[in-house]
Amino acid sequence: MTRTFLIDTDTASDDAVALIMALRAPDVDVKAITIVSGNVSVDKGTRNALYTLELCGANVPVYRGADRPLLREPANAEWFHGIDGLGDQNYPPPEGRPETTHAVDAIIETILANPGIVVVTLGPLTNLALAVSRAPEIVPLVSRCVVMGGAACTVGNTTPAAEFNIWYDPEAARIVFLSGLPVEMVGWELCRFDAVINPDNIAHVRSLNTTLADFVIDCNARAMQAAFEQSREIGIALPDPVAMAVALDPTICTRSSKHAVDVETQSELTRGMTVVDQLGVSGDSRNGRLWKPVIERSNVTVCWEINVPRWKEMLYDALV
Ligand code: BDR
Ligand code: CA
């Protein structure tokens, strides 16, 4: 049976790979791609999504969305993904154009028209926060909301406490996490270590000898260098494709549990931290209410572990 997806993305190098995986999945009908400011400006993200669609020979409407976070100044990640977001490989401009409808309107209309839709977010949550705030009636119509974002009880990639997508627009993330959407959090830590596309894996992708395979490696060349500068890890870390793998096949996530998860918006030190109540202490009055999050119920399913060999197989399958 065909599943319907809506993908919200700040399309840069790893987002593009995730888009390819969804567009190539035989049983997935991507109804809309909505673009948000994040890794790159919303205009560059729109251009990159259109370019990726053309590489896949796919025809999906692309909607330009929020050009800045709800309250904060934009702070892109061009140092990481390249000035154009696709590793500065001089890809030609796409022929396609975005729709004239704003992404937030498109999210609302697409969800209303497709009850049971799976929403996958690969960037900051600004568009989705605006959509659920304006039209809360869309919340029960979403069957899954797979969020690439956060770092569950672990280190962040933008600050010691926070992952980029949540750090960039913490207020939006908080709105989405508290909205009642069935959020599945796929944190940054899940794309590290064994899950990194290591030099052997890169050689394998090259050996596939397809345009898409070469694109995946080439457009992530700058990201690979930047990740090495940041963490000394060698290889290509692909957070958005890992989240897309979980969205496409929930069994890729081999260990998950549901918790109260809140997002820090007040502190500069821990801005955007995804605070996971693993022990359920927030509902325990014996603690003297030392920690008082808004949520005292489990609102987010946290993915703790993925099947690494299968995630990589899914990636390879999408490139041939
Ligand atoms: C997230 O931020 C961006 O660098 C990636 O596209 C991913 O969505 C990882 O923190
Ligand atoms: Ca992204």
Side-chain angles (χ1 to χ4, degrees):
M1 209 177 85
T2 302
R3 296 172 289 163
T4 52
F5 274 36
L6 181 150
I7 304 171
D8 189 75
T9 157
D10 54 340
T11 316
S13 52
D14 68 316
D15 300 70
V17 181
L19 288 180
I20 291 170
M21 291 172 70
L23 294 167
R24 303 272 298 166
D27 64 334
V28 169
D29 180 9
V30 182
K31 292 288 184 192
I33 296 174
T34 53
I35 311 296
V36 67
S37 154
N39 287 322
V40 289
S41 70
V42 71
D43 287 332
K44 289 182 186 177
T46 302
R47 175 193 147 118
N48 294 342
L50 289 165
Y51 182 77
T52 307
L53 277 170
E54 287 171 15
L55 271 185
C56 294
N59 190 11
V60 176
V62 173
Y63 302 90
R64 198 179 169 283
D67 61 4
R68 52 178 300 130
L70 294 181
L71 302 178
R72 316 269 178 162
E73 288 303 312
N76 64 44
E78 291 177 358
W79 75 273
F80 192 90
H81 295 278
I83 303 292
D84 69 356
L86 292 180
D88 297 327
Q89 303 291 308
N90 295 316
Y91 295 123
E95 286 172 16
R97 291 283 169 271
E99 308 297 313
T100 50
T101 304
H102 191 278
V104 174
D105 297 316
I107 290 172
I108 295 169
E109 287 164 18
T110 305
I111 293 174
L112 287 174
N114 296 278
I117 196 166
V118 174
V119 173
V120 186
T121 68
L122 308 175
L125 289 159
T126 322
N127 284 340
L128 191 55
L130 289 167
V132 294
S133 301
R134 191 183 303 164
E137 65 273 21
I138 64 176
V139 167
L141 302 179
V142 175
S143 63
R144 300 174 66 205
C145 179
V146 180
V147 171
M148 191 286 119
C153 305
T154 181
V155 294
N157 61 350
T158 297
T159 71
E163 177 280 332
F164 178 78
N165 289 340
I166 307 298
W167 175 87
Y168 186 87
D169 195 345
E171 284 78 16
R174 191 153 196 271
I175 288 170
V176 169
F177 279 33
L178 301 183
S179 68
L181 279 167
V183 172
E184 298 172 36
M185 187 171 115
V186 182
W188 175 67
E189 67 278 10
L190 297 169
C191 76
R192 300 183 68 195
F193 310 118
D194 286 357
V196 164
I197 304 303
N198 64 38
D200 286 348
N201 302 148
I202 292 172
H204 177 68
V205 172
R206 286 285 189 204
S207 77
L208 299 174
N209 205 20
T210 65
T211 306
L212 289 177
D214 283 339
F215 172 73
V216 163
I217 304 303
D218 293 339
C219 81
N220 278 286
R222 170 60 208 153
M224 178 170 161
Q225 176 62 30
F228 179 73
E229 288 163 14
Q230 187 180 57
S231 66
R232 300 286 144 193
E233 288 171 36
I234 298 174
I236 302 174
L238 293 172
D240 293 340
V242 167
M244 187 59 77
V246 172
L248 292 169
D249 179 355
T251 67
I252 293 286
C253 175
T254 46
R255 190 162 62 88
S256 66
S257 47
K258 210 167 174 193
H259 301 280
V261 180
D262 207 338
V263 178
E264 174 59 55
T265 58
Q266 303 297 312
S267 153
E268 269 313 300
L269 180 65
T270 54
R271 161 183 168 179
M273 184 175 183
T274 45
V275 181
V276 179
D277 184 7
Q278 256 186 297
L279 299 181
V281 294
S282 58
D284 189 342
S285 56
R286 291 171 303 180
N287 286 336
R289 319 300 291 131
L290 290 177
W291 185 50
K292 291 187 179 179
V294 165
I295 1 168
E296 293 184 3
R297 62 188 166 82
S298 300
N299 57 325
V300 171
T301 300
V302 177
C303 177
W304 299 104
E305 198 176 82
I306 62 163
N307 183 327
V308 168
R310 283 191 52 219
W311 125 247
K312 292 185 178 178
E313 284 304 323
M314 275 186 84
L315 171 67
Y316 305 151
D317 289 348
L319 306 179
V320 291

